[in-house]
Amino acid sequence: QVQLVESGGGLTQAGGSLRLSCVASGSMISPATMGWYRQAPGKQRDLVARIGSGGSTTYTDSVKGRFTISRDNAKNTVYLQMNSLKPEDTAVYYCKLEAWYGISWGKGTLVTVSL
């Protein structure tokens, strides 16, 4: 069973930046597609960004040009660099791993963006 632990969330003002990290243990992330999802209060959990095992990336339209997903397989870690943050980015951010050996979710990290 892969365990994912997110970190890097916090409170920032609009226009600020945060970098989220997701560290995996139990299995290597190298063959996995890794994703960041977010869930705002009262809303469903939605995809923010995804990175394939080969490095290809996908972003939801609302974060294109502001967020960057990356991975360091040697560190078994995936990152989400978030710039130009907006109040509507406020949510719990979850890391997800999808691989031939299973699917795992982290417990999330809270990002709060104030005006």
Side-chain angles (χ1 to χ4, degrees):
Q1 182 75 21
V2 179
Q3 292 189 336
L4 303 175
V5 179
E6 303 96 334
S7 63
L11 173 65
T12 188
Q13 291 185 326
S17 298
L18 288 172
R19 188 175 83 151
L20 306 183
S21 299
C22 171
V23 180
S25 60
S27 291
M28 299 305 294
I29 70 167
S30 52
T33 292
M34 302 297 298
W36 285 98
Y37 292 71
R38 65 186 179 188
Q39 186 167 19
K43 296 189 176 181
Q44 66 181 22
R45 190 176 299 186
D46 292 324
L47 175 68
V48 176
R50 182 188 287 129
I51 185 165
S53 57
S56 61
T57 57
T58 303
Y59 297 92
T60 191
D61 286 346
S62 63
V63 307
K64 286 180 180 177
R66 299 189 298 124
F67 291 10
T68 303
I69 188 171
S70 61
R71 63 193 297 160
D72 186 337
N73 290 337
K75 295 183 178 179
N76 235 27
T77 301
V78 63
Y79 304 98
L80 185 67
Q81 178 66 44
M82 306 186 296
N83 299 328
S84 302
L85 282 161
K86 304 175 181 180
E88 51 264 42
D89 295 318
T90 295
V92 177
Y93 284 71
Y94 297 90
C95 179
K96 181 183 181 183
L97 175 148
E98 299 173 80
W100 60 267
Y101 51 76
I103 296 174
S104 294
W105 288 91
K107 294 184 178 181
T109 185
L110 177 62
V111 172
T112 304
V113 184
S114 63
L115 288 169

